[in-house]
Amino acid sequence: MKYLLKTPFECLVKIGEKEYELDANNGLEIEDEERLFVYPLSSPPFYVNLKNLKENENYSILTHDDCTIILLEERKTLSISQKESFSFAGKACDVEICGNHICFETSDKKIAYTCPHPCKENKVFKIKDYACVQFDDHFYAYSIKNNKLTHFCGELSLNGNSLELKKIFHDSQNREKSATYNFEEDIVVENETFTSDYVCENPELTPYKLMESVKAKDFSCALNFLSENLKNSIDCDQIRSFFGNITTFLPLSTIEFITISANQKNFVRFNLADGKVDDITIDFL
């Protein structure tokens, strides 16, 4: 695939072992590359994943005469916020969106979140006791009663007080999730189903695939990677409680991992028997 990189500011661009010094008069043609790194003179560096090109605060994607242009964005010194207010039984909640930051604020609480996606097109509204912001593939619901922010991402469809979600995880097991969530006093899962290729032909990858299942919260699939001995003594709820709400895991070896959640980092080690996980130990870091 061919791209044209354009920049309104001076920067250094690295592609593999090659370096290019660019200014506003330069354009750089790129073909058959996977990624590039950009080093502006007066702001932090960043990289562009050409295999999965998505707009963000660092660059825009334009199409002109069958040419895909990657236009680098200057960091703005002026910010304009979108702000809306809602009332919930006398309690006010302000919703503010600025750049890729989103904020929910009441008289006694403020929750701010940096979104990992562009926030150009959005809908701001309320459902029951929730202040909501919806983007194309992301949905945020802030509970006024519980002071809790919930984030959904995937293919979304809102029908009254119900949110239907289809999510593709892009993991090694081709996992997909379909779910329906109802907005009650808490967000209630009405139904949730997973599909995946959980067969593991290489026993050394068993712990990795188990960790993928835990991260996706596909705990039924995680049971497939346990030995019969361990499977008879643990269920889905225990796996959920044991690992916690992990958002990321980092392999140290085929049997050792660091898991990361919002408030905790853990070291996890697996013991295998006949290609299945027979024992799990977790140490808090």
Side-chain angles (χ1 to χ4, degrees):
M1 185 103 181
K2 292 183 179 180
Y3 300 97
L4 176 63
L5 181 73
K6 294 291 291 184
T7 174
F9 52 81
E10 291 184 70
C11 62
L12 175 71
V13 176
K14 293 185 68 174
I15 305 176
E17 300 297 324
K18 297 181 180 179
E19 297 182 355
Y20 306 87
E21 293 184 1
L22 303 181
D23 59 29
N25 296 316
N26 296 138
L28 181 61
E29 292 185 354
I30 306 162
E31 184 176 5
D32 298 329
E33 298 289 347
E34 294 188 357
R35 64 184 62 85
L36 61 88
F37 296 85
V38 180
Y39 298 85
L41 294 181
S42 57
S43 59
F46 59 91
Y47 87 100
V48 180
N49 183 353
L50 298 172
K51 292 296 185 181
N52 186 24
L53 197 60
K54 295 182 179 179
E55 283 193 358
N56 56 42
E57 62 180 353
N58 295 312
Y59 59 86
S60 299
I61 304 169
L62 311 175
T63 302
H64 178 69
D65 292 339
D66 298 325
C67 175
T68 299
I69 302 171
I70 302 172
L71 177 62
L72 304 186
E73 298 280 1
E74 288 188 288
R75 295 295 175 92
K76 298 177 177 61
T77 55
L78 173 68
S79 62
I80 300 176
S81 299
Q82 171 190 347
K83 191 172 184 178
E84 297 195 37
S85 297
F86 300 98
S87 180
F88 300 86
K91 186 173 184 179
C93 178
D94 295 331
V95 181
E96 184 175 359
I97 302 171
C98 183
N100 67 326
H101 302 282
I102 185 169
C103 177
F104 299 85
E105 185 173 6
T106 64
S107 59
D108 57 354
K109 197 81 171 182
K110 180 176 181 179
I111 293 182
Y113 181 75
T114 301
C115 302
H117 57 83
C119 296
K120 295 179 181 178
E121 302 294 331
N122 63 74
K123 299 177 182 178
V124 183
F125 52 94
K126 71 174 184 177
I127 301 175
K128 290 193 171 182
D129 293 317
Y130 296 85
C132 303
V133 181
Q134 182 175 0
F135 302 94
D136 285 341
D137 299 317
H138 296 265
F139 189 100
Y140 298 88
Y142 175 66
S143 170
I144 301 299
K145 286 189 174 181
N146 301 327
N147 287 322
K148 180 181 178 182
L149 178 63
T150 304
H151 175 208
F152 304 92
C153 63
E155 184 179 323
L156 302 163
S157 177
L158 186 64
N159 183 16
N161 297 331
S162 296
L163 179 68
E164 296 183 359
L165 169 70
K166 181 178 180 180
K167 182 175 181 179
I168 301 174
F169 286 85
H170 302 291
D171 60 14
S172 70
Q173 301 174 72
N174 300 313
R175 192 186 320 275
E176 295 186 13
K177 178 174 79 170
S178 296
T180 301
Y181 303 92
N182 292 329
F183 290 88
E184 306 294 345
E185 185 169 336
D186 291 312
I187 298 176
V188 179
V189 181
E190 181 178 326
N191 59 69
E192 183 179 69
T193 59
F194 288 89
T195 60
S196 65
D197 303 330
Y198 63 78
V199 176
C200 186
E201 296 179 352
N202 184 351
E204 288 189 351
L205 295 179
T206 296
Y208 184 89
K209 290 182 177 290
L210 187 151
M211 290 304 307
E212 282 188 326
S213 300
V214 170
K215 178 184 175 182
K217 298 176 177 56
D218 187 1
F219 301 109
S220 294
C221 183
L223 292 175
N224 291 294
F225 301 105
L226 305 182
S227 67
E228 289 300 320
N229 177 57
L230 187 55
K231 194 184 299 186
N232 290 332
S233 61
I234 194 170
D235 59 21
C236 292
D237 289 338
Q238 288 171 309
I239 293 178
R240 182 196 305 269
S241 176
F242 190 61
F243 282 97
N245 185 27
I246 69 170
T247 56
T248 306
F249 68 92
L250 306 173
L252 299 176
S253 70
T254 56
I255 61 171
E256 297 172 317
F257 299 82
I258 292 174
T259 63
I260 301 173
S261 63
N263 301 312
Q264 184 65 53
K265 297 179 179 67
N266 297 329
F267 173 79
V268 182
R269 181 181 177 86
F270 298 94
N271 290 332
L272 302 180
D274 297 325
K276 297 283 189 175
V277 172
D278 193 52
D279 188 50
I280 307 169
T281 58
I282 295 183
D283 295 322
F284 300 108
L285 298 179

